[in-house]
Structures are given as C-alpha cells and as structure tokens.
C-alpha cells in the first residue's frame, strides 16, 4: 500500500508491532486469493446473482431449525445441512455444473479456513494437556482459597479470557482453552453454565477485536489502507467501554442466575483432590502468551505451551506420559508384549485397542467442525463467484448509504448480514472488506474508522450466532468434558442456541458502534487524520 501521509501523534501512542511479517504475509496471500477469485469465471444462476447465496441461506435456516427450534446441538447435523445446501444451490446453476463443483474445491482450500482449523487443533491439544496435569483442580483450589464463588467467577473468567485472547491473537484458541479449563471449574463452583460460556465467548471477542496480531485486526487494517498500530490505538476507546459494561453485567448476572446442582459429594471429593500444584500450568499459559507477544507464529507459540506443559506433567508427577499420548495395543500381539515397558504403550483387550491421551482427544473432538468450516467457506466462495456479494454491495450503495450517518449504519448492517452467513469471522471480514472500503471512501470516512467498524462487528457477531465458528468451537470442546470428569454430565453442556443473549461484550461492542454511527462519536474523515503506510513491521 502507498503512503497516504504522515501519522498523527495519536498513532504514536502504540508502538510499532514487531515481528509479525508471517501473519501479515498470510493475510496478503488470502486477500490475493480473494481478488483472484473475483476474476475467475462467473457462475450464473437461474433467478440472478442473489441465488448464489442460496447454499449459505439454506444452511442458516437449517441451523436455526436444528439448534433453535429443536434444540439439537449436533455439529455433524450442521455438516449435513451445509452439504444439502450446496446440492440445492447446484440445481439452480445455468449450464454445466463443472464450474460450480470446482468452486467448492476452490473454497475448501482457502487459507482462511486452514488458519481456523490449525488454531482449533493446536489449542485443543494444549488445553487437554494442561487439564491432564490438574490445572482445573488448581483453579478450583485457588478460587476456593480466595473465596471467589459463583457470583464473581464468570466476570473474572471474562477478564482472563480477554487477556489471553489479546496476548495470543486468537479468539478461537482462547475459547477452546477456557471451555476446557475454566468452564468446568466454574460449574463446580456453582456458576451458571450459560453465563460461563457467554463470558468465555465475550473474552474471545475482546481479544479478536483488539489484539495487534489477530488476523481480524490485520485484515481490517490492510483492507482499509490503515496502519495496524494506529488501528489498535483508535479502537481502544470503543473496546474498553464495552468491556467495562460487560464486566459489570457478568458480576450482576452472576448473582442472579443459578448454577446447576452438582452433587455435594462429588464436589467435595474434587475439592479434596484439588492441589495448588496444578497452578504451575499458569506458566504453560504464560509460555504461549509470551511467545505470541514476542511476535512468533501462533502455531509455534502454542507448540511451546504444549512442550512446557508436557515437561511439567512428567517432571512434577502431575500426569504420566500415557495420560498425554498412549498406544493401547492388543495384549495378544507379541511385539507389544516385548515393548510393554515403554511409558506410552499399554496392553489392552483386542476390542479396546486404539490411540488415546490428551493430545489425541484434544484434536479428535474438532473433526466434524473442521469439515463444517471447509464447506461453509466453499459456500462463501460460490456466493462471491456468483455475484451475490457484489449485488449486496450495489444495493447498499444505491438504496441505503445516502448520507454519512446512514453509510456507517449500513456498514454495521452489512457486516451483520455477511457474518450471519459466513460463520468464520476472518472469512466474513475478507468478503465484506472491499465493500466497506467503497462505502467509506464515498463519504471520505477515515481508514481507521472503517477498519474499526469492520473489525468490531465481525469479531463480535462471529461469537454470537449459534451456528458461528466461535460458538461451535466452544461447544465442540465442551462435548469432551463428560469423558474427563466423573461429575460432569451431559445436562451441563450448553446448547449453542442458549448462549447468544449472554455474550455481553459482543452485543455491547455492536451497540457501541451503532451509537457511534448514529451520533458521530469518534467519527473521523480522511482530512482529519491520515494513516501511515500500512504496517509491514
């Protein structure tokens, strides 16, 4: 991007972000892929360009019926809905179906989908590994010793999740870790499960929106010709207002909403077996945060966390090697019998053979969700190639965005519509970003302001809709908890359709920008402040 002028003193409040070349380059590659897709052969539909959104619309309706009406929290069921949606969309294609079919493969290979998948897998392995080392027990011990009960625990969970997400730059990874670790601790302490899940998602929203190394932050800056440091600095005032109100909301709601009745005996047994030593895995989390803040790739950061957690578990006797990775070999296999001394090999009856341990189970639980995400991104690619997003842009420009105030309100509305259909917030942001830029440039709205509206809404709504990636990744992590704790029952799992009203920070962040659009709070024009060269630091 070219230099549009010198930055103001405001942008100097945040130092340049060092060592994020890899992340920036990956975003540039993804944007290049999106631009290349726009130049690819179009797909024509009977009924016009709007029909290209049929697969995603079908999926949204399916998700509402399954999760909202029937209260069925089944990720594989959503996979079926998206598959059928893609088939239904194909029936409306004009001419040969080959381009449509190729576009499905094209979408499924988009880097943005792979980024989400990697974050889930690594975060799942990390969270389960420190859980195997008794981190949940350490949390319960600390909360009990400090007399932090069910009233304050959701609010504290929100703050801690926000700090982790801001440090490592991935709300998805934070959701996985906190659902695996803090969620069961909160349930045992008596906190309301829906409120706990909402607090975790709210923390993820905060970090996705504000973290300098978050993909959504970088995409919003790059696509709106703004520097990353200035973007983070300018959006802090919006994020902190929503965060303060959200914290107060969780503190109040924590005293009003009852938790589940965990068996007193089970709770007492768990408390008696909980030890402070489990808190050593705070160092494992700090290893992840420190490595990420130092500018290293998120895969490297979480990998160091896994290594540190593994070493702590073995060296301090918190968990054996077999608790983290184990080959359950049939006991009648002779070579297995001769190697039975290995710490990662156990002999079992033939019908129980398989691979286990925290590293295995931490990744396994996300496989249905991975398939779902790949299919959804494929549906988004079809809508792009079919002209659906372009039609949405033209309609907004012609009919809605007729003044500065209405233009900013339209930006909020447009991001909401796109996020309702594309459940991965980074993918949704990439899809809508060019149109946000055109809308804003029409009225000379500053790049910082455009980037903030774009990022706030995609970050927030990506963790609110019951079928969104942020909610489903937490739900997937939650489904493994009954296998990890004897006292955790299926009734304690939160249905994705129940949590959306309790993602306080997400709703408040959207509300802040709705108010800002209507009142002009924080509005800047191109002549007010020019962005520096887009950060390549």
């Amino acid at each position: 991007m070219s230099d549009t002028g010198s930055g103001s003193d405001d942008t100097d409040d945040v130092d340049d972000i060092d060592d994020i070349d890899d992340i920036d380059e990956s975003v540039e590659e993804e944007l290049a892929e999106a631009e290349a897709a726009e130049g690819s052969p179009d797909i024509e539909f009977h009924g016009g360009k709007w029909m290209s959104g049929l697969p995603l619309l079908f999926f949204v309706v399916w998700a509402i019926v399954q999760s909202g009406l029937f209260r069925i929290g089944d990720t594989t069921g959503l996979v079926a809905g998206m598959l059928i949606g893609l088939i239904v969309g194909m029936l409306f294609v004009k001419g040969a179906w080959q381009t449509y079919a190729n576009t499905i493969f094209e979408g499924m290979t988009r880097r943005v989908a792979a980024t989400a998948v990697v974050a889930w897998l690594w975060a799942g392995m990390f969270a389960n590994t420190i859980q195997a080392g008794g981190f949940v027990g350490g949390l319960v011990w600390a909360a009990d010793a400090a007399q932090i009960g069910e009233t304050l625990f959701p609010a504290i969970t929100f703050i801690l999740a926000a700090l982790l997400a801001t440090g490592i730059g991935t709300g998805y990874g934070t959701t996985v870790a906190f659902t695996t670790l803090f969620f069961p601790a909160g349930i045992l302490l008596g906190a309301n499960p829906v409120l706990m899940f909402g607090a975790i998602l709210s923390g993820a929203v905060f970090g996705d929106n504000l973290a300098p190394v978050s993909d959504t932050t970088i995409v919003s800056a790059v696509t709106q010709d703004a520097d990353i440091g200035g973007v983070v600095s300018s959006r802090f005032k919006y994020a902190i207002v929503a965060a303060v109100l959200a914290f107060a909301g969780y503190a109040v709601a924590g005293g009003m909403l009852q938790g589940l009745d965990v068996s007193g005996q089970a709770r007492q047994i768990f408390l008696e077996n909980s030890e402070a030593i489990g808190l050593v895995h705070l160092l494992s989390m700090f290893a992840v945060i420190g490595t990420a803040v130092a500018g290293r790739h998120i895969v490297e950061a979480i990998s160091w966390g896994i290594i540190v957690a593994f070493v702590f578990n073995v060296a301090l006797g918190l968990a054996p090697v077999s608790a983290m990775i184990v080959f359950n070999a049939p006991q009648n296999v002779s070579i297995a019998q001769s190697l039975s001394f290995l710490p990662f090999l156990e002999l079992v009856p033939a019908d129980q053979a398989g691979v286990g341990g925290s590293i295995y189970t931490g990744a396994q639980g996300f496989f249905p969700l991975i398939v779902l995400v790949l299919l959804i991104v494929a549906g988004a690619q079809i809508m792009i190639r079919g002209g659906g997003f372009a039609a949405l842009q033209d309609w907004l420009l012609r009919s809605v965005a007729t003044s500065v105030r209405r233009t900013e309100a339209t930006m909020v509305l447009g991001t909401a519509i796109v996020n309702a259909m594309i459940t991965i917030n980074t993918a949704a942001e990439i899809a809508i970003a060019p149109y946000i830029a055109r809308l804003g440039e029409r009225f000379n709205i500053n790049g910082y302001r455009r980037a903030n509206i774009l990022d706030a809404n995609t970050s927030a709504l990506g963790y609110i809709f019951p079928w969104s990636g942020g909610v489903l990744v937490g739900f997937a992590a939650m489904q493994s908890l009954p296998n990890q704790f004897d006292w955790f029952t299926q009734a304690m799992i939160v249905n994705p359709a129940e949590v959306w009203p309790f993602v306080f920070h997400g709703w408040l962040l959207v509300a802040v920008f709705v108010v800002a659009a209507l009142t002009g709070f924080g509005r800047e024009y191109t002549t007010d402040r020019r962005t520096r060269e887009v950060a390549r630091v």
Side-chain angles (χ1 to χ4, degrees), residues 83-139:
L83 283 169
I84 296 173
L86 290 170
I87 294 173
V88 171
M90 188 163 53
L91 299 177
F92 290 85
V93 173
K94 288 184 179 180
W97 292 353
Q98 181 176 357
T99 302
Y100 183 97
N102 286 337
T103 303
I104 293 177
F105 287 95
E106 180 184 313
M108 294 179 74
T109 58
R110 291 281 297 274
R111 186 183 182 109
V112 66
T115 299
V117 167
V118 168
W120 296 340
L121 293 176
W122 258 254
M125 292 187 292
F126 172 66
N128 277 30
T129 299
I130 63 176
Q131 200 301 99
F135 186 61
V136 172
L139 288 175

Side-chain angles (χ1 to χ4, degrees), residues 256 362 534:
M256 298 174 60
V534 175

Side-chain angles (χ1 to χ4, degrees), residues 274-301:
S274 298
E275 298 179 345
I277 188 62
L279 293 174
V280 71
H281 282 303
L282 287 172
L283 298 177
S284 303
M285 298 187 74
F286 290 150
V288 175
I289 296 172
T291 309
V293 170
R296 310 310 288 267
H297 195 284
I298 189 61
V299 170
E300 180 180 351

Side-chain angles (χ1 to χ4, degrees), residues 20 147 168 185 236 259 279 294 303 343 361 379 424 487 521:
I20 58 172
Q147 296 185 336
I168 66 176
F236 181 78
L279 293 174
S303 294
T361 57
I424 304 302
W487 53 268
F521 170 72

Side-chain angles (χ1 to χ4, degrees), residues 373-399:
V373 167
L374 296 178
L375 293 173
I376 289 173
V377 176
Q381 193 75 354
I382 288 171
M383 191 170 177
I384 292 172
R385 294 276 296 277
F389 282 119
L392 175 62
Q393 172 204 9
D394 293 340
W395 175 74
L396 292 174
L397 285 169
R398 286 195 318 268
S399 306

Side-chain angles (χ1 to χ4, degrees), residues 193-262:
V194 180
L195 193 64
M196 277 295 302
F197 194 21
I200 292 169
L201 296 174
S202 284
V205 171
F206 183 93
D208 254 4
N209 175 233
L210 201 60
V213 293
S214 167
D215 273 358
T216 59
T217 299
I218 296 171
V219 168
S220 67
V222 171
T223 58
Q224 306 307 313
D225 290 338
D227 62 281
I228 295 170
V231 161
V232 173
S233 176
S234 63
R235 75 177 43 157
F236 181 78
K237 57 181 176 289
Y238 307 109
I240 200 65
V241 168
V244 169
L245 294 175
F247 178 83
Y250 286 117
V252 172
M256 298 174 60
L257 300 178
Q258 286 188 332
L260 298 177
D261 183 20
V262 180

